Coordinates of all heavy atoms in Angstrom, one line a residue:
V319 N -6.9 -7.8 13.6 CA -8.2 -8.5 13.5 C -8.2 -9.3 12.1 O -7.9 -8.7 11.1 CB -9.4 -7.6 13.5 CG1 -10.7 -8.3 13.4 CG2 -9.3 -6.8 14.8
I364 N -7.2 -24.9 4.6 CA -6.4 -24.0 3.8 C -6.7 -24.1 2.3 O -6.5 -23.2 1.5 CB -4.9 -24.0 4.1 CG1 -4.2 -22.8 3.6 CG2 -4.3 -25.3 3.5 CD1 -4.5 -21.5 4.3
G444 N -5.4 9.4 12.7 CA -4.8 10.3 11.7 C -5.8 10.5 10.6 O -7.0 10.2 10.7
S512 N -20.5 22.9 27.5 CA -20.5 21.7 28.4 C -19.1 21.1 28.3 O -18.8 20.3 29.3 CB -21.6 20.7 27.9 OG -21.3 20.3 26.6
R514 N -16.4 22.4 28.9 CA -15.6 23.0 30.0 C -15.7 22.1 31.3 O -14.9 22.3 32.2 CB -16.0 24.4 30.3 CG -15.8 25.4 29.1 CD -16.0 26.8 29.5 NE -15.9 27.7 28.3 CZ -14.7 28.1 27.8 NH1 -13.6 27.8 28.4 NH2 -14.7 28.9 26.8
F543 N -15.0 24.6 11.9 CA -13.6 24.8 11.6 C -13.0 23.6 10.9 O -12.3 23.7 9.9 CB -12.8 25.1 12.9 CG -11.3 25.1 12.8 CD1 -10.7 26.3 12.4 CD2 -10.6 24.0 13.0 CE1 -9.3 26.4 12.3 CE2 -9.2 24.0 12.9 CZ -8.5 25.2 12.5
K546 N -14.5 23.0 7.4 CA -14.1 24.0 6.4 C -12.7 23.6 5.9 O -12.4 23.7 4.7 CB -14.0 25.4 7.1 CG -13.5 26.5 6.2 CD -13.6 27.9 6.9 CE -13.2 29.0 6.0 NZ -11.8 29.0 5.7
M593 N -15.6 22.6 -12.1 CA -15.7 21.4 -11.3 C -16.9 21.4 -10.3 O -17.2 20.4 -9.8 CB -14.4 21.0 -10.6 CG -13.3 20.6 -11.4 SD -11.9 20.0 -10.5 CE -10.8 19.4 -11.8

Side-chain angles (χ1 to χ4, degrees):
V319 182
I364 197 66
S512 60
R514 296 189 185 280
F543 173 87
K546 180 176 183 290
M593 289 187 172

